[in-house]
Amino acid sequence: MGIVLAILLFGFIVFFHELGHFLLARINGINVYEFWIGMGPTLAHKKIGNTDYCLKILPIGGACVMGEDEKEDLSEGSFNSKSPWRRISAIAAGPVFNFILAFIGAFIIICFVGVDKPVIGTVNAGTPAAEAGLQAGDEIVKINDKNIHIFKDISTYNQFHQGQTMKIVYKRNGEKNTVSVTPEKNDSGYYLIGITSSNYVKTNVFETAAYSAYNVKYWINLTIDSLKQLVTGRIGVDQLSGPVGIVSAVDTTYKESKSGGALLIFLNLLQMTILLSANLGVMNLLPLPALDGGRLVFLIVEVIRGKRVPPEKEGYVHLAGMALLLCLMVFVMYYDIRRIFF
């Protein structure tokens, strides 16, 4: 059951991404020739108007084919007959819709469970936080140059700045105070300052919307910080997860949530949706060939230059990028399978 849910979840996230492309293409008068979810052989398809809607056998991707690679086609309704800004909006809509989906998911979760505000619940005796004078009830608003909105911001900042001294700005009784805290390594090898979060609190609809945005921002920043660590070599490519790893993670989440009932399963899977959707949005905006971000780079260059990059050159770049992405996917899937089964 967990694996089926994982496939459906991943398929829905991809569908929502492609829906963004589809809707903005239609709004901008761009023809959509194919709209499909999955990869590989077609399981089912139906043509409505000019669009062929397809469901493919492998739930690991999708596409909204707008004819963007048909550079010579300037006929009415073709992708390349439209202004650069119309094309940019259609391409950017996919990642933007991923962020919208993540926001909707966060809003629903907060409506059910409340907000994890960055308020200290307890301060463990003898820890750096206690020695610095932090107390239960203090609200942390800033660490060094990073604004803090939710409690997860604190733990994640500490995770990516292990052992570094933190200048913490906090509120107590309406007044701001500042202390310096240096995390200490515990027996498990983690650097901690010795605080725990307070209880989740319910908020009004406007605060719920704001904290939903903060949650999406959190997952976006986490993805970007992880990519930085990948580029700098602090984590290896073998630690990445692809479709196989995602299915395994969702399956594990489902199994661990079963004992808590349907609502807990729903909320935990929704949390996975937020994580994956925000991640997919960021990854697709990377300025890499064949990704939405790569296509946006060429369109922005066109806006700046006032003329298009020669179609054959752009095509070669995207083709090379696609080949590299496929190689990376195979590599990541290999390590996913190795981690799970061996």
Side-chain angles (χ1 to χ4, degrees), residues 233-256:
R234 296 177 68 182
I235 60 174
V237 178
D238 59 331
Q239 293 177 267
L240 298 177
S241 284
V244 175
I246 291 170
V247 169
S248 176
V250 174
D251 183 47
T252 300
T253 300
Y254 167 74
K255 290 176 180 176
E256 292 177 349

Side-chain angles (χ1 to χ4, degrees), residues 115-119 139-162 166 168 193 195 197 200 210-223 225:
V115 174
D116 61 330
K117 290 188 176 183
V119 176
E139 180 181 359
I140 297 177
V141 296
K142 195 170 187 178
I143 299 178
N144 293 338
D145 58 349
K146 180 177 177 60
N147 292 321
I148 303 298
H149 301 290
I150 54 179
F151 199 87
K152 289 195 291 283
D153 286 334
I154 302 170
S155 54
T156 302
Y157 185 91
N158 187 40
Q159 175 187 345
F160 285 101
H161 301 82
Q162 289 281 293
M166 297 185 291
I168 297 177
I193 63 173
I195 63 173
S197 62
Y200 280 63
Y211 279 100
S212 298
Y214 292 145
N215 270 274
V216 176
K217 179 184 176 185
Y218 166 81
W219 289 113
I220 290 173
N221 287 339
L222 182 61
T223 303
D225 287 340

Side-chain angles (χ1 to χ4, degrees), residues 47-339:
K47 190 163 187 175
I48 302 175
N50 293 326
T51 307
D52 194 11
Y53 299 90
C54 304
L55 179 64
K56 297 183 179 288
I57 194 168
L58 299 175
I60 56 174
C64 177
V65 180
M66 301 175 284
E68 55 267 46
D69 293 322
E70 303 296 329
K71 302 299 180 182
E72 304 303 323
D73 183 6
L74 299 177
S75 61
E76 180 65 26
S78 67
F79 182 84
N80 291 294
S81 69
K82 302 301 178 181
S83 70
W85 291 111
R86 287 181 181 271
R87 285 178 278 147
I88 285 172
S89 68
I91 294 295
V96 170
F97 263 56
N98 280 128
F99 300 140
I100 291 172
L101 178 59
F103 175 86
I104 293 170
F107 192 93
I108 293 171
I109 288 178
I110 291 173
C111 286
F112 274 101
V113 303
V115 174
D116 61 330
K117 290 188 176 183
V119 176
I120 297 174
T122 58
V123 178
N124 298 325
T127 60
E131 293 173 1
L134 290 173
Q135 299 176 10
D138 291 344
E139 180 181 359
I140 297 177
V141 296
K142 195 170 187 178
I143 299 178
N144 293 338
D145 58 349
K146 180 177 177 60
N147 292 321
I148 303 298
H149 301 290
I150 54 179
F151 199 87
K152 289 195 291 283
D153 286 334
I154 302 170
S155 54
T156 302
Y157 185 91
N158 187 40
Q159 175 187 345
F160 285 101
H161 301 82
Q162 289 281 293
Q164 297 181 19
T165 298
M166 297 185 291
K167 182 181 178 182
I168 297 177
V169 179
Y170 65 94
K171 283 184 182 179
R172 181 185 296 168
N173 299 323
E175 295 184 0
K176 286 186 178 180
N177 304 278
T178 303
V179 294
S180 291
V181 181
T182 302
E184 291 182 351
K185 186 184 289 187
N186 65 7
D187 295 337
S188 301
Y190 295 104
Y191 285 90
L192 303 173
I193 63 173
I195 63 173
T196 62
S197 62
S198 60
N199 295 327
Y200 280 63
V201 296
K202 294 286 186 166
T203 54
N204 62 44
V205 66
F206 299 107
E207 286 183 305
T208 297
Y211 279 100
S212 298
Y214 292 145
N215 270 274
V216 176
K217 179 184 176 185
Y218 166 81
W219 289 113
I220 290 173
N221 287 339
L222 182 61
T223 303
I224 293 172
D225 287 340
S226 298
L227 287 171
K228 288 178 181 177
Q229 290 210 326
L230 179 65
V231 171
T232 56
R234 296 177 68 182
I235 60 174
V237 178
D238 59 331
Q239 293 177 267
L240 298 177
S241 284
V244 175
I246 291 170
V247 169
S248 176
V250 174
D251 183 47
T252 300
T253 300
Y254 167 74
K255 290 176 180 176
E256 292 177 349
S257 305
K258 277 198 303 184
S259 60
L263 180 59
L264 183 61
I265 293 172
F266 170 72
L267 292 175
N268 282 340
L269 290 180
L270 193 56
Q271 185 64 56
M272 288 290 295
T273 302
I274 297 169
L275 183 161
L276 294 173
S277 194
N279 186 281
L280 183 62
V282 172
M283 297 300 289
N284 266 280
L285 283 175
L286 293 177
L288 300 176
L291 295 179
D292 292 333
R295 294 188 182 278
L296 288 172
V297 168
F298 280 99
L299 287 168
I300 292 170
V301 168
E302 179 182 335
V303 170
I304 295 171
R305 295 176 71 227
K307 61 179 181 179
R308 297 179 181 178
V309 174
E312 64 279 3
K313 292 183 179 179
E314 182 179 348
Y316 290 144
V317 171
H318 289 312
L319 183 61
M322 180 61 73
L324 288 173
L325 287 173
L326 288 173
C327 290
L328 178 61
M329 181 179 291
V330 171
F331 182 81
V332 170
M333 287 180 68
Y334 164 75
Y335 276 101
D336 277 344
I337 294 170
R338 184 175 167 181
R339 276 194 299 268

